[in-house]
Amino acid sequence: DAGVTQSPTHLIKTRGQHVTLRCSPISGHKSVSWYQQVLGQGPQFIFQYYEKEERGRGNFPDRFSARQFPNYSSELNVNALLLGDSALYLCASSLEQGFNEKLFFGSGTQLSVL
Amino acid sequence: DAKTTQPPSMDCAEGRAANLPCNHSTISGNEYVYWYRQIHSQGPQYIIHGLKNNETNEMASLIITEDRKSSTLILPHATLRDTAVYYCIASWGSQGNLIFGKGTKLSVKP
């Protein structure tokens, strides 16, 4: 079975632009979460979607948005990019939503903002 | 949210057991301890989790103290491919999200 897939793997943008990152969960998984990981730090929670509804949001500005499609794939959008948005963006899927669910992570999208 | 404390780095000789400690003294009764690892340029990979009892799977063993205030992840025969950052997680955000710390960077040396 395919794992969590993310695209693109690498991306270079300039300040002020917007970006869309994509994620396909493991087949049968209904929940998708997004995490941001800056160099030297652990991943930080951005969003969680379950059954196409937002179920959780971390401490990120409104420039960050996401959605989940009927096939459970997901997109993360970031508007008005800042230099500080440069990071590895990780998508994780799980069977269900909530506490103590085992997460399966993709390899991430490395975003560089110049 | 239970906070975790891990040493920033550890070394281990190839073929020897790697014992990675984690302190989670504020863990509550229903919070599991999870371990993930992240190999360079990849996403975190689930290793093992437990609540009270010691657990073992094909990757590792997890030893949780009786008072649940600390735990140890054991890689019985470390290989060079086990070089990674290991995250001990004993806390979940209010929305069911994992709360990562900085983890332990394990270097397995030949």
Short mmCIF file of all heavy atoms in Angstrom, two decimals, chain A residues 26 42 59 87:
data_model
loop_
_atom_site.label_atom_id
_atom_site.label_comp_id
_atom_site.label_asym_id
_atom_site.label_seq_id
_atom_site.Cartn_x
_atom_site.Cartn_y
_atom_site.Cartn_z
N ILE A 26 -3.11 7.80 3.33
CA ILE A 26 -3.16 6.36 3.13
C ILE A 26 -4.61 5.97 2.85
O ILE A 26 -5.54 6.52 3.47
CB ILE A 26 -2.62 5.63 4.36
CG1 ILE A 26 -1.11 5.88 4.50
CG2 ILE A 26 -2.92 4.14 4.32
CD1 ILE A 26 -0.49 5.38 5.78
N GLY A 42 11.04 20.56 16.56
CA GLY A 42 10.07 19.51 16.27
C GLY A 42 8.91 20.08 15.46
O GLY A 42 8.70 21.29 15.42
N ASN A 59 -1.69 27.48 16.37
CA ASN A 59 -1.47 28.91 16.51
C ASN A 59 -0.76 29.48 15.30
O ASN A 59 0.43 29.82 15.36
CB ASN A 59 -0.67 29.18 17.80
CG ASN A 59 -0.57 30.65 18.10
OD1 ASN A 59 -1.41 31.44 17.66
ND2 ASN A 59 0.45 31.03 18.83
N ALA A 87 10.19 26.35 5.65
CA ALA A 87 10.11 25.22 6.58
C ALA A 87 9.80 23.96 5.80
O ALA A 87 9.49 24.01 4.60
CB ALA A 87 9.03 25.45 7.64
#
